Amino acid sequence: MFIIITAGLLGIILALALISIRFLVSDHLAKKFYKLFAAADLAVIAVIFGGWYVRSLVPETFISIFGNVATIFLMSQLICGIFVICAVVGRFFYRKFNKPAPFDPARRRMLAYAFLYPIMSLAISLYGNRIEKNSDVMNFFDVPIKNLPPELENFKLAQISDIHLGAYYSLERLEALLTRVADSKPDLLAITGDIFDDTEMNPAAIKLVDSFCDKFRFGIYYIHGNHEHFRGIYQIEQMIKQTKINMLVNRSKNVTSKLYILGVDYPSRAPVTTSSDKAAENRFREARRSYIAGATANLPDDAVKILLAHHPEFIDDGAENNCALTLTGHTHGSQFGIFGVPLFPVFKYTRGIVKIGDSVGYVHCGNGSWFPFRLGCPPEIAYFTLKAQ
């Protein structure tokens, strides 16, 4: 599914680039640019797919440099193509209703101020790759809870997610993120998966996270994402068991008073997006029920339950099991948004707050990514304060 989506997106980018050239340069130059961009894009696509199959043999430094340069190059074309199509459509309707005086047919096809389109596109692409994807924002939410014990009033927990250690997220950046979170003094830190995503970096990363456990009053709670299952889940679990990190795999732990943190694993074969495969959906649903059953076993009736899950559809399960708050990740908020709304809402829940009855769910935008670009969807640190309803 990932390869199909990637191939489709790259095909769209190439098509948009060739269409844009028609409206940005003269006929004489267009033929040369067609060949140049077609060759360049195909070369980049070949390296992307070739590198995917021999990733373990490619140095992280090359992946980082090539990945960032290729992203800027391709995203500039995509954004420019969108600008050009919007401008051409706008010009069509303007001429249709305003009927301006005829002008030189040789220039009829080119857009006015054509040079501005690639310049603006490059600027936006550089911003998304070099600035926004590296600028974590802090978002704060109050969570109203019925019958909240007085001692839990104003209890604050922080959430980070989907860090994806590797070529685009270093240990130094992880340390800076953890320091920033610790300095804000939440009572507890929740990490909702896809952090340990590099077999070589994982041991050092686990030690680093462990070193921050004492900086939070009630420690750090962690659950697996799908990428931990790709990077040697058994070794990751064995290393974490030697630390102070609270790893929750389909179980719960009492934090203080009546507050319990529940954690569930990531179901294997979970649909990447909303799936039309009924058999896959049924397997996914049954796995969720089984995992939730383990996490909710033997809890007191008056427990205040906070569920940690990587896949956002566990928000439904949290609501069904009277969890006051369910924290999830996985979607990266789609990495593209406008006014807080995801541009690619391919999941049932893609970004932000979800309210179901008295239960609150949250889909975290993630702190890292495999695709090094964000626009209108910056990485975040989310804070949740418990309030009596």
Side-chain angles (χ1 to χ4, degrees):
M1 177 64 72
F2 176 79
I3 293 175
I4 291 172
I5 293 173
T6 301
L9 179 60
L10 292 173
I12 291 171
I13 290 173
L14 178 56
L16 285 175
L18 298 180
I19 292 171
S20 300
I21 290 170
R22 181 169 179 258
F23 296 97
L24 296 179
V25 299
S26 65
D27 290 341
H28 174 69
L29 291 175
K31 294 180 181 179
K32 295 181 179 180
F33 276 97
Y34 284 150
K35 295 178 181 179
L36 176 63
F37 275 85
D41 284 353
L42 290 174
V44 169
I45 292 170
V47 173
I48 289 173
F49 282 103
W52 177 265
Y53 289 103
V54 295
R55 181 180 173 84
S56 61
L57 304 177
V58 181
E60 292 283 356
T61 302
F62 174 81
I63 295 175
S64 178
I65 294 173
F66 175 81
N68 282 295
V69 172
T71 296
I72 293 169
F73 178 63
L74 294 172
M75 288 306 301
S76 296
Q77 295 176 63
L78 176 62
I79 295 168
C80 186
I82 294 172
F83 281 163
V84 167
I85 289 175
C86 291
V88 170
V89 171
R91 184 179 67 178
F92 170 80
F93 283 105
Y94 175 80
R95 288 179 176 176
K96 185 176 182 64
F97 293 106
N98 288 273
K99 297 179 181 179
F103 57 90
D104 183 0
R107 298 187 60 191
R108 182 182 299 274
R109 196 165 59 189
M110 286 183 61
L111 291 169
Y113 306 106
F115 68 95
L116 291 178
Y117 291 86
I119 291 175
M120 290 189 300
S121 302
L122 178 60
I124 293 172
S125 185
L126 286 168
Y127 165 79
N129 175 265
R130 308 311 303 163
I131 298 177
E132 183 167 320
K133 84 173 179 69
N134 297 313
S135 302
D136 296 271
V137 299
M138 302 172 74
N139 292 318
F140 299 87
F141 306 93
D142 289 340
V143 181
I145 300 175
K146 289 182 178 180
N147 303 316
L148 182 71
E151 61 270 24
L152 293 178
E153 181 76 19
N154 294 319
F155 186 98
K156 183 169 74 172
L157 63 154
Q159 180 194 12
I160 58 176
S161 190
D162 296 88
I163 287 167
H164 292 288
L165 283 168
Y168 305 124
Y169 210 107
S170 66
L171 286 170
E172 291 75 18
R173 187 175 170 189
L174 174 60
E175 183 175 15
L177 174 65
L178 291 170
T179 299
R180 185 178 178 187
V181 178
D183 287 346
S184 63
K185 304 297 182 183
D187 295 297
L188 177 152
L189 172 61
I191 303 177
T192 48
D194 279 7
I195 172 175
F196 306 119
D197 197 13
D198 187 291
T199 52
E200 293 185 1
M201 295 171 65
N202 286 345
I206 290 170
K207 290 181 180 179
L208 176 60
V209 174
D210 182 41
S211 71
F212 276 83
C213 286
D214 292 335
K215 298 183 183 296
F216 300 93
R217 183 182 174 195
F218 294 103
I220 296 176
Y221 287 75
Y222 157 84
I223 52 116
H224 298 317
N226 54 312
H227 280 253
E228 276 82 16
H229 285 273
F230 302 154
R231 301 288 178 250
I233 189 70
Y234 175 78
Q235 290 79 7
I236 290 172
E237 288 188 344
Q238 293 306 306
M239 288 186 285
I240 291 178
K241 287 177 181 178
Q242 307 304 314
T243 71
K244 298 177 183 178
I245 301 169
N246 296 289
M247 178 176 60
L248 301 179
V249 181
N250 306 328
R251 68 184 185 93
S252 65
K253 184 170 183 178
N254 178 236
V255 177
T256 181
S257 182
K258 297 178 181 179
L259 179 63
Y260 287 77
I261 302 294
L262 291 60
V264 292
D265 200 354
Y266 186 90
S268 62
R269 297 185 178 180
V272 175
T273 63
T274 299
S275 175
S276 59
D277 185 339
K278 296 300 181 183
E281 287 288 347
N282 288 335
R283 288 195 300 269
F284 181 41
R285 192 178 300 109
E286 289 303 316
R288 284 160 43 201
R289 288 175 181 169
S290 173
Y291 292 179
I292 283 289
T296 57
N298 302 317
L299 293 181
D301 294 336
D302 59 352
V304 177
K305 295 174 285 189
I306 295 177
L307 173 63
L308 308 183
H310 189 63
H311 200 290
E313 289 193 32
F314 274 99
I315 289 174
D316 292 336
D317 303 284
E320 290 177 6
N321 288 272
N322 300 313
C323 293
L325 177 64
T326 300
L327 302 180
T328 71
H330 189 50
T331 70
H332 300 192
S334 90
Q335 292 190 208
F336 294 82
I338 181 168
F339 303 120
V341 178
L343 289 182
F344 305 105
V346 294
F347 292 85
K348 182 176 182 180
Y349 307 121
T350 302
R351 178 179 178 182
I353 291 286
V354 178
K355 293 184 178 180
I356 303 175
D358 293 328
S359 181
V360 175
Y362 191 73
V363 186
H364 196 279
C365 287
N367 297 95
S369 63
W370 268 37
F371 177 65
F373 187 92
R374 284 177 178 265
L375 190 63
C377 185
E380 68 172 327
I381 306 168
Y383 294 91
F384 303 88
T385 302
L386 308 187
K387 298 284 187 179
Q389 183 175 1

